[in-house]
Amino acid sequence: MFKFIIRRTFYGLITLFLIITATFFIIAGAPGDPIAAKVEQMPEKAQQVIRSKYGLDKPVVERYLMYMKNLVTTGDFGESIIYTGKSANDVIRDNALISAKIGIIALSLQISIGIGLGLVSALNREKFGDHIIRVCVVLAICVPSFVFAALLQYFIAFRWRLAPVSGWGELRHYILPVAAYAIGGIASYTKYMRSSTLSVIGEDFILTAQAKGCKKRRIVRKHILRNSMIPIVTMIGPAIAGIFAGSFILESMFSIPGLGAYYVKAVSDKDHTMIIGLTIFYAILYVLSLIVVDILYGIVDPRIRIAKSEQ
Amino acid sequence: MFRKKSISLVLLTLAFLLITGGFALNSGLAQAQPTIDQQQEFTFSSGSAVIGLNPILNTTAPDNGLQNLVLETLVGKLTDENSVAVITPAVARDWKISNDGTIYTFYIREDAVWNDGVPVTAHDFVYTFRKMATPEVGSTNAWLFDGIILNYADALYDEGKKPEDIGVRAIGDKIVEFKLIKPCAYFLQLLNGAKPVRQDKYEEWGEAYGSSIDKVVLNGPFVIESWNQNVQMTLTKNEKYWDAENTKLNRIKRRVIKNPGTAAQSLLSGDIDVLTPIDPDWKRMIKEDGRFKEITSPGSAPEFLSFNCANKYFKSEKIRLAFSLSFDREKYIEDLVDGNAEPLYSLMPSVVNCGNKVYSEVVGRRNQIIKTLQKRYPDPRALLIEGLKEEGLDPDPAKMEIRYATRGTNEFSKKSAEWLLQHWQETLGVTITIDMMEWNIMWDKVNEGDYDIATAGWGPYYNDPNALLEIYDPVKGFYNSSKSGWTGPDAEKFSQLLVQAAFTTKQQSRAELLLHAEEILVGTGVIAPTYCRIYSTFLADYVHGYYINPHAYTDFTIIYTSGKK
């Protein structure tokens, strides 16, 4: 297992290096200027003063080497061109946790409710409960989260005054964004869990367990649940990375100071250091989440564990 | 007896008059001055976060707006109780301008102090201006004084002068003097772009100055209690401010609400006290609610189309004019912005001043340039064909190939481009190609001269026609010849007129020169002005003293609430 983690980390580092390099050159080559966002109306000569301050007048390869040297030696993603005096590290440190708080609560709800509903739906296949769940799932998947957010905001907050319209800082501010965030995910997990459970139910080993006189509860817990969780585990990996990214639309609707808003603004302003810093952050999360998923596979599915140890 | 009676009658009458008069006076006073709430708190929202509190480096519109509450420069640029933009004494209690208009001397008030108790001195301003003129600092507002303060541009662009050489000096601790290259009618307005920083703290914190509330010193009417960048900033009254006794608000909350629908619901729920909604549905809903006062105010930023005069078609004045004259501006704003705009027949929105008078009134409303030309050329299509023939091009407008660069990729950009496509198709027989692009990419294209027609707009930095005209100066302007492609005798004449106007101190003669320059720019179709937005601001009925002028900042020291629940 230890060897496996070391190997995956090594591959992860190579992936990160490629991502940073590609992002750097793509952004440097893309049209639009980070200075333009700052000084939209400034005369050309004055713009040059600002460009040279941020080293944007230097050749792109020189800028790349400087950036990489700084990143490797100090771990600093660089100072934002737009948010002067702040480095991308500061922004990530201050804001990623906010996105993560909402994301973790929403993801926990999504997984727990999704798995539960999926299981209930599959075990009651073609019965009334199954139909109701399926209709709701289709509805929740089809309707985008921002529509739910708008509806929740209008009725629950604005009309019935049960939660604040927007804001951040208190527990009550979590209610609507978490709900809006979770609904779509619950539906997806329910859908996948249902189909995965149905395929497991038809397997021979379930029949064998039944023939051996195993109790239904034990069959569900020991045989069905564990086997049907495998595709869900695959989905959880990217979802964990996603919780730090936040949702720009939901964050903007509920005025949540998460990372999503910064990422989108960095892209539209062409704030090089911020884009690269945030991209590296997401890339690290993604690579880490893939490693975690691999480990989780081993826990959920002993066959994978055995296969890997045999290798 | 009779005399006694008459005297007592007169006395009675007088007493009656006095009492009733007194009542009337009282009720009048009560109307003018409603009882002020004990708790003076005001909440407003903005779609953008404040990026920083360093006035030298953080100069976006949200930054400037907020810094105006917490930092004070020599003079104030505020909206008075008649919604007129005025220059008021601020850190400087008084100032003198030399007869030739090139030396400004400011007298700093004795009781102006920073929030840590240190007095504000002339040296703070000298340091601020020198810092701005230092190229390595990369101050984003520095260019405002380029070509105005003596030796300033030479220092900023490192052309033989040092920041210490600029024409700003301290005479003792409390007098600061500015030497200008030439008279500048709007110099006092420009000063708002140079709020002070303090040397000892700037040297201690470096570029982190203003990045958080523990790394900034303030001297304005309010100080910052807490700041959560994308959520809220809470300000409290600065008790050390020289005019603290006349500042009514104790607390101000500036919330960041990006989503317009959320902002509107926040106003209706009483979470915020003021809002300028754009969406017509929310606007209607707020209006119908009845708890809000509506203040309409025209904007100061004109929208226009910019033609690339180096283009094979648009080098012809006739072709440019045909495009400019061929669409109905009133219909354009009716269809696109529900009529919430004023159509522009010149580059100047109605609120632009020349001196202390409205520019269009000073020139006797003779700047309706597009209207005059529309009468002269009733058939723009014929004008277009004539232009095409003169240029030796195919006279069939249908064969023209013209790209239209949008400023953004949102629904509005798309709709307005399609509107023009359809109207030019109907009136001129030309089918344009719409190039949808993000605004910064459009600026890039304009910089490279890689466009035919570009959507443009400009928010003037000061209230004077020159602020809008100078952007087309062929050498120094933002749309200089390399971007606009505008060269030749007209461009030279335009440039000369701006220089002449700069040296003219009589307002009427200056306005005439500026009108002439505008007639060249708009009258030869280098640009086609379109509209200027009109904004409706809704204010909770318990808020008083809130005034708006697009050329000045709202004076938060005179705002108060009465009857807020």
Side-chain angles (χ1 to χ4, degrees):
Chain A
M1 194 60 157
F2 181 70
K3 248 186 181 173
F4 164 73
I5 293 174
I6 294 287
R7 198 171 60 231
R8 286 308 303 259
T9 313
F10 176 69
Y11 289 146
L13 284 174
I14 295 177
T15 316
L16 277 180
F17 170 75
L18 293 176
I19 289 173
I20 297 167
T21 310
T23 315
F24 193 96
F25 285 101
I26 290 169
I27 292 166
D33 188 338
I35 299 302
K38 226 179 156 85
V39 289
E40 203 178 329
Q41 302 181 324
M42 198 185 273
E44 191 52 43
K45 223 169 161 181
Q47 287 194 23
Q48 280 310 328
V49 173
I50 314 280
R51 272 199 195 95
S52 69
K53 179 186 170 174
Y54 291 99
L56 293 168
D57 53 345
K58 294 195 172 71
V60 65
V61 177
E62 195 184 328
R63 271 159 48 201
Y64 171 72
L65 291 174
M66 274 166 62
Y67 185 83
M68 286 306 264
K69 192 182 155 200
N70 188 42
L71 182 66
V72 173
T73 52
T74 64
D76 185 8
F77 294 146
E79 193 195 321
S80 159
I81 298 174
I82 305 292
Y83 294 88
T84 45
K86 269 195 178 186
S87 73
N89 302 50
D90 294 336
V91 170
I92 292 168
R93 193 192 52 228
D94 296 345
N95 303 88
L97 271 179
I98 294 171
S99 296
K101 275 183 197 165
I102 292 187
I104 289 169
I105 302 173
L107 187 64
S108 320
L109 288 176
Q110 284 169 359
I111 296 170
S112 50
I113 301 177
I115 289 175
L117 282 180
L119 207 59
V120 169
S121 178
L123 295 175
N124 296 291
R125 193 179 178 186
E126 298 303 330
K127 288 184 188 157
F128 182 69
D130 180 34
H131 290 306
I132 294 282
I133 291 173
R134 278 165 68 194
V135 169
C136 292
V137 162
V138 171
L139 254 177
I141 289 179
C142 294
V143 179
S145 61
F146 63 86
V147 176
F148 276 122
L151 290 173
L152 287 171
Q153 205 171 39
Y154 186 76
F155 287 105
I156 296 188
F158 181 58
R159 282 271 164 237
W160 305 327
R161 303 278 160 96
L162 297 173
V165 176
S166 71
W168 189 248
E170 294 165 41
L171 207 59
R172 60 199 183 108
H173 290 129
Y174 284 80
I175 304 170
L176 296 187
V178 165
Y181 205 139
I183 290 173
I186 291 175
S188 303
Y189 284 111
T190 307
K191 183 170 166 281
Y192 283 106
M193 189 63 192
R194 181 182 181 273
S195 58
S196 146
T197 310
L198 284 178
S199 65
V200 171
I201 287 175
E203 293 282 344
D204 291 344
F205 60 84
I206 303 290
L207 199 67
T208 313
Q210 279 171 336
K212 277 161 72 181
C214 223
K215 279 184 185 163
K216 193 178 176 187
R217 218 167 151 185
R218 190 178 159 80
I219 296 176
V220 171
R221 197 156 45 89
K222 273 277 174 190
H223 300 283
I224 299 178
L225 191 61
R226 248 178 125 168
N227 280 293
S228 50
M229 283 278 280
I230 296 167
I232 302 292
V233 170
T234 318
M235 286 169 70
I236 291 174
I240 292 172
I243 57 174
F244 287 92
S247 155
F248 169 66
I249 299 173
L250 293 186
E251 283 179 4
S252 126
M253 284 185 81
F254 294 108
S255 304
I256 301 163
L259 213 49
Y262 279 96
Y263 203 18
V264 174
K265 186 157 168 47
V267 173
S268 69
D269 289 346
K270 293 215 70 204
D271 190 346
H272 288 186
T273 38
M274 280 285 263
I275 300 176
I276 296 169
L278 293 172
T279 308
I280 297 170
F281 175 67
Y282 292 142
I284 292 174
L285 283 178
Y286 199 78
V287 168
L288 271 178
S289 73
L290 290 182
I291 297 174
V292 169
V293 166
D294 273 335
I295 298 167
L296 276 181
Y297 267 141
I299 296 167
V300 177
D301 191 349
R303 286 167 299 185
I304 295 171
R305 200 158 54 206
I306 294 159
K308 270 180 187 150
S309 60
E310 277 173 1
Q311 266 178 12
Chain B
M1 187 69 184
F2 177 73
R3 208 171 151 189
K4 230 179 181 177
K5 253 189 181 173
S6 62
I7 288 172
S8 45
L9 205 71
V10 169
L11 280 174
L12 258 173
T13 319
L14 264 176
F16 177 76
L17 278 176
L18 266 174
I19 290 164
T20 49
F23 276 135
L25 199 67
N26 265 339
S27 66
L29 270 177
Q31 249 179 1
Q33 204 78 312
T35 31
I36 291 181
D37 293 339
Q38 195 95 47
Q39 185 68 25
Q40 284 298 316
E41 190 174 304
F42 179 73
T43 309
F44 69 104
S45 75
S46 166
S48 311
V50 172
I51 288 174
L53 302 165
N54 181 344
I56 291 182
L57 298 177
N58 307 121
T59 60
T60 62
D63 290 331
N64 287 338
L66 188 276
Q67 285 165 17
N68 229 49
L69 302 180
V70 294
L71 285 168
E72 195 177 59
T73 187
L74 293 163
V75 293
K77 189 172 144 185
L78 298 169
T79 309
D80 74 1
E81 291 173 356
N82 300 311
S83 297
V84 175
V86 286
I87 296 291
T88 57
V91 167
R93 62 178 156 74
D94 197 8
W95 58 89
K96 264 189 208 152
I97 306 168
S98 67
N99 288 339
D100 64 352
T102 60
I103 297 175
Y104 282 68
T105 315
F106 295 90
Y107 303 92
I108 295 173
R109 57 178 84 241
E110 290 299 324
D111 50 354
V113 289
W114 294 93
N115 61 331
D116 58 358
V118 175
V120 178
T121 66
H123 307 291
D124 295 331
F125 290 92
V126 174
Y127 180 75
T128 303
F129 275 87
R130 284 184 182 170
K131 206 79 194 148
M132 285 171 81
T134 308
E136 293 75 34
V137 170
S139 164
T140 33
N141 256 7
W143 64 279
L144 286 175
F145 300 95
D146 163 0
I148 291 171
I149 296 175
L150 192 69
N151 295 336
Y152 184 92
D154 294 336
L156 179 62
Y157 305 132
D158 202 10
E159 291 171 347
K161 294 283 178 196
K162 295 274 157 233
E164 297 75 47
D165 303 330
I166 62 167
V168 184
R169 68 174 182 131
I171 304 169
D173 282 347
K174 292 289 177 185
I175 299 173
V176 60
E177 183 194 83
F178 291 78
K179 270 192 189 146
L180 311 189
I181 298 169
K182 58 184 183 201
C184 177
Y186 45 85
F187 182 65
L188 291 174
Q189 291 186 51
L190 284 184
L191 281 178
N192 196 264
K195 296 184 187 77
V197 293
R198 210 171 81 199
Q199 186 169 1
D200 58 336
K201 295 295 176 190
Y202 209 95
E203 282 166 0
E204 185 185 335
W205 297 320
E207 289 232 331
Y209 191 99
S211 60
S212 60
I213 51 174
D214 53 353
K215 285 202 172 66
V216 70
V217 277
L218 307 166
N219 73 331
F222 300 95
V223 284
I224 303 166
E225 185 182 84
S226 63
W227 181 22
N228 186 345
Q229 194 163 44
N230 276 313
V231 185
Q232 182 174 299
M233 186 184 265
T234 308
L235 310 166
T236 51
K237 184 174 171 176
N238 178 5
E239 296 297 347
K240 293 197 176 95
Y241 180 62
W242 59 269
D243 199 23
E245 62 181 279
N246 291 318
T247 306
K248 297 182 180 84
L249 289 175
N250 290 323
R251 186 181 290 264
I252 300 171
K253 287 183 188 165
R254 180 197 191 275
R255 292 189 54 192
V256 179
I257 304 179
K258 291 194 165 78
N259 186 282
T262 310
Q265 291 180 60
S266 298
L267 180 77
L268 289 164
S269 319
D271 291 344
I272 55 173
D273 298 323
V274 66
L275 185 72
T276 307
I278 300 290
D279 183 83
D281 291 332
W282 282 114
K283 227 162 137 176
R284 202 189 55 243
M285 210 162 156
I286 296 168
K287 226 176 196 171
E288 283 168 3
D289 185 275
R291 288 177 296 148
F292 304 95
K293 297 181 263 191
E294 186 179 356
I295 311 171
T296 30
S297 73
S300 61
E303 290 287 321
F304 52 91
L305 306 176
S306 162
F307 297 103
N308 183 354
C309 302
N311 174 280
K312 69 169 174 177
Y313 299 114
F314 294 126
K315 65 182 180 194
S316 155
E317 180 184 326
K318 284 182 182 165
I319 299 179
R320 292 195 304 259
L321 275 180
F323 275 79
S324 174
L325 306 179
S326 59
F327 64 95
D328 181 347
R329 281 152 176 83
E330 274 168 41
K331 187 154 172 44
Y332 182 76
I333 59 177
E334 201 51 58
D335 292 350
L336 292 169
V337 291
D338 291 309
N340 292 316
E342 56 172 332
L344 287 185
Y345 298 100
S346 100
L347 182 59
M348 304 300 156
S350 59
V351 289
V352 174
N353 269 25
C354 187
N356 49 8
K357 283 187 188 149
V358 175
Y359 164 72
S360 56
E361 280 171 17
V362 178
V363 295
R365 305 210 172 273
R366 281 174 293 135
N367 63 335
Q368 302 275 301
I369 302 160
I370 300 285
K371 271 192 177 168
T372 316
L373 286 170
Q374 278 171 332
K375 276 181 204 149
R376 194 185 306 162
Y377 303 110
D379 184 2
R381 192 166 192 272
L383 189 68
L384 174 68
I385 294 169
E386 210 180 307
L388 286 170
K389 279 183 188 162
E390 276 177 15
E391 292 298 320
L393 298 162
D394 191 326
D396 182 5
K399 290 189 180 147
M400 289 176 81
E401 283 174 5
I402 288 165
R403 296 167 300 157
Y404 177 88
T406 64
R407 193 185 48 198
T409 51
N410 62 13
E411 196 50 37
F412 179 77
S413 297
K414 196 174 162 208
K415 210 170 132 189
S416 54
E418 278 168 358
W419 192 97
L420 285 169
L421 174 123
Q422 193 192 335
H423 279 74
W424 279 331
Q425 220 163 25
E426 282 167 12
T427 52
L428 300 175
V430 181
T431 307
I432 55 165
T433 310
I434 298 170
D435 274 352
M436 296 291 291
M437 59 185 84
E438 280 304 336
W439 63 271
N440 49 358
I441 294 172
M442 188 214 78
W443 285 124
D444 254 14
K445 295 241 178 202
V446 170
N447 280 340
E448 290 156 15
D450 181 19
Y451 70 102
D452 300 339
I453 307 174
T455 327
W458 197 264
Y461 277 89
Y462 49 90
N463 187 4
D464 190 273
N466 191 66
L468 291 168
L469 291 170
E470 70 174 356
I471 60 173
Y472 269 89
D473 186 293
V475 183
K476 290 183 290 174
F478 181 84
Y479 287 93
N480 56 29
S481 296
S482 69
K483 293 177 191 171
S484 67
W486 191 35
T487 51
D490 279 344
E492 280 162 28
K493 176 83 186 154
F494 176 81
S495 182
Q496 280 165 12
L497 284 165
L498 294 191
V499 175
Q500 257 178 288
F503 283 97
T504 308
T505 42
K506 270 192 179 170
Q507 283 316 329
Q508 186 64 42
S509 333
R510 197 169 162 265
E512 292 296 333
L513 289 165
L514 294 168
L515 172 65
H516 194 171
E518 199 189 0
E519 278 167 348
I520 296 177
L521 184 72
V522 178
T524 63
V526 176
I527 60 166
T530 47
Y531 67 91
C532 183
R533 282 261 193 184
I534 293 174
Y535 298 97
S536 285
T537 299
F538 291 92
L539 188 68
D541 53 10
Y542 49 76
V543 179
H544 302 268
Y546 188 96
Y547 304 99
I548 308 170
N549 183 296
H551 286 294
Y553 291 95
T554 294
D555 186 355
F556 276 71
T557 63
I558 57 173
I559 298 174
Y560 64 95
T561 65
S562 168
K564 184 177 182 177
K565 281 165 198 153

